[in-house]
Amino acid sequence: MSNPTTTAKQLEVQRIVDVLSKAIAQQRLRPGTRLVESQLVEALSANRNHVQVALQRLALQRIVTIEPNRGAMVAQPTAKEAREVFIARCAIERAIVECIGPDVIRRHRQRITAHLRGEREAVQSEDRRAVVRELSQFHLILGEISGNEVLSEILANLMVRSSLIVALYQRNEVPSCQCDEHQAIIDALEAGDNTQAAEIMQEHLDDLEGVLDLADEAAGEVNLRQALSDL
């Protein structure tokens, strides 16, 4: 959300950051994909300077890497970074569920129910992009409704980096984040059992990390206009 002092440039840079982050989180842009500035300018109808600032911001967040004479590309997390990201996610997401009481679940019941239904529909459709989007969104929703903006912001960054890790290291095409586990977390929170919810979340993230084989995979050529459309 912008404030009265937010400039038009800041809003535009944030738009570019948001679009690229979403494309990466949904695995439209895979690890190692080159982010050619001229192509981004065209695909996003953006100013080159704004694109450069957005890429620099994403580089600070470890979502993009910028190398001399090579330009920007989607980050390729190492095996060590992958382990560290999941350690961080466990800490952050346990803290998030500990902030959520039954009253919060009741207040957001309609949104949560609609989302869980969307998860199941995505899985049944076998549309991998929809599955990745919906299952990842569950974690972001918990961050939003927790009421702790700092935890929510940290989680948003970790989720994008997790998407890169899954794209690189997941062993197979089976969704690594399951609807039933999400439902179990909500059930525990609704019952006021935050300890149980935190334990389920821990097991859930352990399972997600457990399907990684930590073997690098090079990215192929990507049409940036197509990958960034509709975002």
Side-chain angles (χ1 to χ4, degrees), residues 53-177:
V53 174
L55 290 174
Q56 290 166 0
R57 184 178 299 178
L58 289 168
L60 290 174
Q61 297 174 4
R62 304 289 292 276
I63 294 171
V64 163
T65 58
I66 301 176
E67 300 180 8
N69 303 319
R70 293 191 64 189
M73 66 181 65
V74 178
Q76 295 178 283
T78 63
K80 178 177 182 292
E81 184 178 347
R83 297 187 189 98
E84 291 173 349
V85 165
F86 276 95
I87 289 171
R89 276 193 64 180
C90 287
I92 294 299
E93 297 203 57
R94 285 183 68 97
I96 283 173
V97 297
E98 287 169 0
C99 292
I100 301 174
D103 58 322
V104 175
I105 297 299
R106 287 193 295 269
R107 191 159 62 248
H108 296 278
R109 165 57 62 190
Q110 186 174 356
R111 180 185 184 188
I112 292 169
T113 299
H115 179 77
L116 292 174
R117 182 169 59 250
E119 283 188 358
R120 293 186 174 88
E121 291 172 354
V123 171
Q124 291 172 0
S125 73
E126 298 184 348
D127 179 342
R128 180 167 178 76
R129 184 174 292 176
V131 171
V132 169
R133 181 184 66 246
E134 294 298 323
L135 296 179
S136 296
Q137 186 65 24
F138 172 82
H139 297 266
L140 297 174
I141 289 174
L142 289 186
E144 290 174 15
I145 70 175
S146 72
N148 189 313
E149 293 184 6
V150 174
L151 290 176
S152 182
E153 289 173 1
I154 294 172
L155 178 61
N157 174 263
L158 291 174
M159 289 301 298
V160 178
R161 295 170 71 179
S162 292
S163 182
L164 292 174
I165 291 164
V166 170
L168 274 173
Y169 301 124
Q170 188 169 318
R171 290 188 186 123
N172 51 51
E173 294 298 309
V174 177
S176 55
C177 187

Side-chain angles (χ1 to χ4, degrees), residues 37-55:
E37 288 182 8
S38 60
Q39 294 178 16
L40 292 176
V41 167
E42 180 182 3
L44 299 174
S45 299
N47 175 286
R48 193 182 191 97
N49 177 259
H50 294 162
V51 168
Q52 290 173 342
V53 174
L55 290 174

Side-chain angles (χ1 to χ4, degrees), residues 144-231:
E144 290 174 15
I145 70 175
S146 72
N148 189 313
E149 293 184 6
V150 174
L151 290 176
S152 182
E153 289 173 1
I154 294 172
L155 178 61
N157 174 263
L158 291 174
M159 289 301 298
V160 178
R161 295 170 71 179
S162 292
S163 182
L164 292 174
I165 291 164
V166 170
L168 274 173
Y169 301 124
Q170 188 169 318
R171 290 188 186 123
N172 51 51
E173 294 298 309
V174 177
S176 55
C177 187
Q178 299 296 329
C179 304
D180 291 344
E181 295 171 357
H182 288 175
Q183 183 66 64
I185 292 169
I186 294 300
D187 291 344
L189 291 173
E190 189 170 30
D193 193 342
N194 295 74
T195 299
Q196 176 70 3
E199 290 175 356
I200 297 171
M201 180 64 80
Q202 178 74 57
E203 294 172 0
H204 180 52
L205 295 174
D206 287 345
D207 289 344
L208 196 161
E209 185 178 4
V211 302
L212 305 180
D213 65 10
L214 302 182
D216 290 313
E217 178 181 342
E221 291 296 322
V222 172
N223 184 310
L224 291 179
R225 175 184 286 278
Q226 181 178 0
L228 300 176
S229 64
D230 304 324
L231 293 178

